[in-house]
Amino acid sequence: MKSSRRKFLQIAGLSALGWSICPSLLQASGHGGGEGGNGQGVRWAMAIDTRKLDDKLMEECVHACHSIHNVPKINSKQNIKWIWSAPFEKLFPGQMHKFLKEVPEEHTLALCNHCGNPSCVRVCPTKATFKRPDGIVMMDFHRCIGCRYCMAACPYGSRSFNFADPRRFLKEQNPDFPTRTKGVVEKCTFCAERLDEGKRPACVEAAKGAIYFGDLNDPHSEVRQVLKERYSIRRKPGLGTDPSVYYLI
Amino acid sequence: MYDGGKIIAGLAVFVLLFTFPFWYNIGNAAYTRPKLELPKEAKECVEKTEWMRAEHMQLLNHWRDEVVREGHREYKSMVAGKTFNKSLTKTCMKCHDNKEKFCDRCHNSLAVKPYCWDCHVAPKGEK
């Protein structure tokens, strides 16, 4: 008894020592937060003007995004969506009260929020989902193993799983952007490929001024200006994911 | 010798099976490199032909990681001194616009099945 307690204390002491020498172990569990988006550098963000958007404009935004990114339209629960329109009560469940129901159900656009603290990145076992230094939560479709942890982790339902080969549902293909394959998760990438060319995201262009886009860390950027002037809310802010998509009310 | 007959028969079967690939191919024509259709307009590739023949898979692998994970999209060629867009469809397939007569001929004859085309869209105009 006596010797085993001594042994236990020795091992406990050594492990504590090891833990203190190697603090990276403590950080290993959270590769989601950290660098990027908190201080210097670019942090891309979007401000969606809910007053300017109407059904037609939203449809154009969705079409612009889905057509250039080869997103298929599947008429079932297996549908894939990068950007879509949804009623306020679905987007802002915490902001609803019974008198709001008197207003006819209004819709606005929803997409991946490119969170500052993305839960999908933290749970991804292969780091197929990762956060770029400019705040974009990217998908590496090459690496995705289709475990769908990210879908479970995302509180916004922004991710879709390819149950079947998406090419079967595509009438036209844009050869400049890959289709995905069966068994991978996909989502909006804030048009990272267009940003790298110096263009703005496709939905921002299609929205004709109803969506503002820019760098959150630049006080002169379009988003910062409009966030200064207008009142804005974000989806489910209490969850601490720090979304980069703002809704102007 | 015990069971000599069985051992010798077993050995014979083993040698026969082991050398099967050699005598199965006797009389077949030797492997010839498939004739590829080279792009008509473009004169030079991102790198030398011999280098590309041996290394294009590594190059494409690097490209995909650098583009997707690091956002580096420009490739500086070692020979031409030019910069290219690191893109299978926007750079490679713009010149090599016929996948069947360029990529597939070699890949088929070597029984290599790259899964690039499960996602990336082959240029139009073939079939």
Side-chain angles (χ1 to χ4, degrees):
Chain A
M1 197 60 193
K2 218 175 192 179
S3 73
S4 79
R5 177 159 44 180
R6 169 169 293 185
K7 210 156 213 158
F8 171 76
L9 287 173
Q10 279 173 343
I11 292 170
L14 274 175
S15 346
L17 196 69
W19 209 247
S20 65
I21 294 170
C22 194
S24 59
L25 282 175
L26 290 169
Q27 291 162 5
S29 56
H31 57 262
E35 94 278 27
N38 302 325
Q40 294 83 37
V42 184
R43 164 89 193 263
W44 296 115
M46 223 177 240
I48 296 174
D49 195 332
T50 54
R51 287 192 216 158
K52 280 191 200 163
L53 280 177
D54 55 26
D55 284 345
K56 196 170 154 275
L57 208 51
M58 285 194 277
E59 204 171 292
E60 277 172 28
C61 294
V62 173
H63 177 76
C65 171
H66 286 190
S67 60
I68 67 162
H69 294 123
N70 293 325
V71 179
K73 195 176 163 94
I74 305 167
N75 289 324
S76 75
K77 278 184 179 173
Q78 302 183 357
N79 194 21
I80 310 258
K81 52 197 197 319
W82 284 30
I83 180 169
W84 68 99
S85 90
F88 271 61
E89 60 169 12
K90 290 266 163 60
L91 299 180
F92 308 103
Q95 305 275 344
M96 289 295 128
H97 51 80
K98 63 179 179 180
F99 302 110
L100 269 182
K101 289 267 175 158
E102 292 172 2
V103 184
E105 276 194 359
E106 247 189 280
H107 281 59
T108 194
L109 283 175
L111 70 160
C112 170
N113 281 297
H114 296 278
C115 305
N117 184 19
S119 45
C120 53
V121 171
R122 209 159 53 237
V123 298
C124 181
T126 61
K127 292 197 185 181
T129 299
F130 61 100
K131 202 170 98 184
R132 298 207 325 183
D134 57 2
I136 295 182
V137 177
M138 268 290 277
M139 274 289 302
D140 185 345
F141 303 112
H142 304 112
R143 262 202 207 196
C144 179
I145 54 169
C147 69
R148 293 186 269 163
Y149 284 12
C150 53
M151 292 176 76
C154 178
Y156 307 106
S158 297
R159 294 170 157 264
S160 309
F161 183 68
N162 282 289
F163 286 92
D165 184 6
R167 282 192 188 171
R168 279 170 39 205
F169 305 97
L170 284 169
K171 276 185 211 106
E172 279 175 43
Q173 292 177 356
N174 171 19
D176 289 340
F177 200 85
T179 66
R180 272 67 57 198
T181 178
K182 182 175 151 182
V184 300
V185 175
E186 60 176 271
K187 70 172 195 74
C188 150
T189 60
F190 246 20
C191 284
E193 82 285 355
R194 289 170 63 90
L195 290 176
D196 288 349
E197 285 175 16
K199 291 186 203 156
R200 298 194 303 164
C203 57
V204 176
E205 275 184 10
K208 296 178 196 118
I211 304 178
Y212 301 88
F213 187 80
D215 177 9
L216 269 190
N217 289 337
D218 173 13
H220 305 293
S221 69
E222 206 181 46
V223 245
R224 282 287 292 274
Q225 293 301 324
V226 79
L227 287 179
K228 205 187 284 174
E229 284 163 15
R230 300 267 305 270
Y231 183 70
S232 60
I233 56 172
R234 293 189 289 178
R235 291 180 67 192
K236 303 181 183 174
L239 297 177
T241 54
D242 188 18
S244 297
V245 176
Y246 296 78
Y247 291 87
L248 305 169
I249 300 302
Chain B
M1 199 156 84
Y2 302 109
D3 292 330
K6 282 181 194 165
I7 292 170
I8 287 165
L11 275 175
V13 168
F14 170 76
V15 168
L16 219 64
L17 283 178
F18 195 79
T19 53
F20 174 77
F22 294 100
W23 54 260
Y24 181 75
N25 278 322
I26 287 173
N28 282 0
Y31 175 77
T32 47
R33 184 178 283 160
K35 258 204 136 21
L36 306 182
E37 193 176 283
L38 294 171
K40 279 152 206 131
E41 280 130 51
K43 286 279 170 293
E44 58 183 0
C45 198
V46 282
E47 298 292 350
K48 275 190 193 127
T49 314
E50 291 75 33
W51 193 89
M52 287 304 286
R53 201 175 282 151
E55 306 280 344
H56 67 276
M57 31 332 222
Q58 280 89 341
L59 181 84
L60 289 172
N61 243 358
H62 285 152
W63 279 13
R64 87 173 192 192
D65 285 344
E66 284 161 357
V67 168
V68 179
R69 302 204 73 89
E70 284 151 45
H72 294 159
R73 282 174 192 264
E74 283 191 342
Y75 176 74
K76 195 151 192 313
S77 168
M78 292 186 286
V79 277
K82 280 191 224 160
T83 45
F84 294 90
N85 187 2
K86 284 177 193 163
S87 170
L88 176 65
T89 38
K90 287 183 198 164
T91 301
C92 306
M93 303 317 282
K94 281 279 135 69
C95 297
H96 298 285
D97 54 1
N98 199 326
K99 170 177 161 274
E100 259 163 47
K101 289 183 180 163
F102 186 75
C103 311
D104 289 353
R105 280 194 182 165
C106 260
H107 289 160
N108 288 345
S109 84
L110 295 171
V112 175
K113 290 193 183 72
Y115 48 80
C116 310
W117 309 105
D118 290 356
C119 296
H120 290 268
V121 183
K124 278 177 194 156
E126 63 178 71
K127 243 163 241 174

